[in-house]
Amino acid sequence: SQQGEEDPQALSIQEGENATMNCSYKTSINNLQWYRQNSGRGLVHLILIRSNEREKHSGRLRVTLDTSKKSSSLLITASRAADTASYFCAPRVIQGAQKLVFGQGTRLTINP
Amino acid sequence: GAVVSQHPSRVICKSGTSVKIECRSLDFQATTMFWYRQFPKQSLMLMATSNEGSKATYEQGVEKDKFLINHASLTLSTLTVTSAHPEDSSFYICSAAGTGQETQYFGPGTRLLVL
């Protein structure tokens, strides 16, 4: 299966705390992408990490990739109420179409 | 960043009618567009991939005669839900990617309610 599986399914933390979400996948990948979806909206691309990268930062986001374990993590530091959303990982397979297949996502709730 | 729009944002129709949803890339040429549907509190399910000027490639289990996809230009793709039934009520989202683009840019979604 091409899709990633996010863990945990739901996460609730206090504002200001850090949030960590994990993603596991099964196939060899070219890159892995993280997306955010606010309720009732489309997805927003957050960050892309290539298979030859181990860590990447973008603002308060930190993504790691371990290709030997076929896993990735997304860390959001100093969380804000506006970070409340569902987060999806999308592995991009090496041999395959351009399509992305999404898992169930992690529903993150930031409590004020 | 690249912008993708969808129209309409919300539509209510009677059972048996057809509904057309438009997906437009506003500031880039989308050689490939994707259509997804999403039920409440569930993930996005890829329905089909369309390349400009070619027939769409449908995912397993998606009826191509029910969900007609047209990608006639580099900025527009349409999804037509034919003979809609209440079970077709869902949130439909499109995304687009240009040549060489590794990320997809998503539209805001269209909520369809079939009565």
Side-chain angles (χ1 to χ4, degrees):
Chain A
S1 173
Q2 182 181 333
Q3 72 184 55
E5 296 293 341
E6 296 86 355
D7 175 70
Q9 291 187 9
L11 179 61
S12 181
I13 62 174
Q14 294 300 121
E15 193 168 20
E17 294 180 340
N18 296 340
T20 299
M21 290 157 271
N22 302 297
C23 169
S24 60
Y25 57 92
K26 295 181 179 177
T27 60
S28 295
I29 62 170
N30 181 287
N31 63 62
L32 185 141
Q33 303 173 40
W34 283 90
Y35 288 80
R36 182 188 75 224
Q37 183 183 31
N38 290 89
S39 181
R41 305 288 295 173
L43 274 67
V44 174
H45 178 257
L46 295 177
I47 195 165
L48 179 154
I49 186 165
R50 302 187 187 284
S51 60
N52 62 353
E53 297 176 309
R54 292 295 167 259
E55 187 172 311
K56 200 163 183 178
H57 297 256
S58 176
R60 293 184 296 114
L61 305 180
R62 172 177 167 255
V63 168
T64 63
L65 179 64
D66 187 333
T67 53
S68 66
K69 296 181 179 179
K70 291 186 167 58
S71 67
S72 174
S73 69
L74 171 66
L75 169 68
I76 303 174
T77 61
S79 64
R80 305 168 181 170
D83 295 328
T84 294
S86 290
Y87 291 81
F88 298 90
C89 69
R92 177 85 180 272
V93 299
I94 292 177
Q95 306 251 347
Q98 198 178 2
K99 68 181 182 182
L100 299 175
V101 181
F102 295 93
Q104 294 299 308
T106 293
R107 290 188 303 279
L108 175 64
T109 302
I110 307 299
N111 302 302
Chain B
V3 179
V4 175
S5 69
Q6 273 184 249
H7 178 79
S9 59
R10 186 184 298 265
V11 57
I12 301 173
C13 70
K14 294 181 178 179
S15 186
T17 61
S18 294
V19 175
K20 179 184 285 187
I21 302 171
E22 293 185 349
C23 178
R24 293 181 184 273
S25 58
L26 299 184
D27 51 4
F28 69 102
Q29 293 186 327
T31 50
T32 307
M33 286 186 167
F34 306 85
W35 287 96
Y36 299 82
R37 66 186 297 182
Q38 184 178 36
F39 293 107
K41 298 192 185 303
Q42 293 189 23
S43 185
L44 283 76
M45 186 195 80
L46 179 65
M47 300 174 67
T49 302
S50 74
N51 291 297
E52 185 265 336
S54 303
K55 289 185 178 180
T57 301
Y58 289 80
E59 294 298 303
Q60 191 172 9
V62 178
E63 300 175 60
K64 60 180 66 176
D65 293 331
K66 179 163 184 66
F67 299 100
L68 301 178
I69 292 172
N70 183 280
H71 190 170
S73 79
L74 285 171
T75 59
L76 173 65
S77 176
T78 60
L79 167 68
T80 301
V81 183
T82 62
S83 187
H85 291 284
E87 57 265 31
D88 298 323
S89 299
S90 189
F91 191 52
Y92 291 87
I93 308 174
C94 72
S95 69
T99 301
Q101 285 183 332
E102 294 178 292
T103 63
Q104 292 182 22
Y105 298 95
F106 285 78
T110 296
R111 192 161 300 282
L112 170 64
L113 176 61
V114 184
L115 302 177

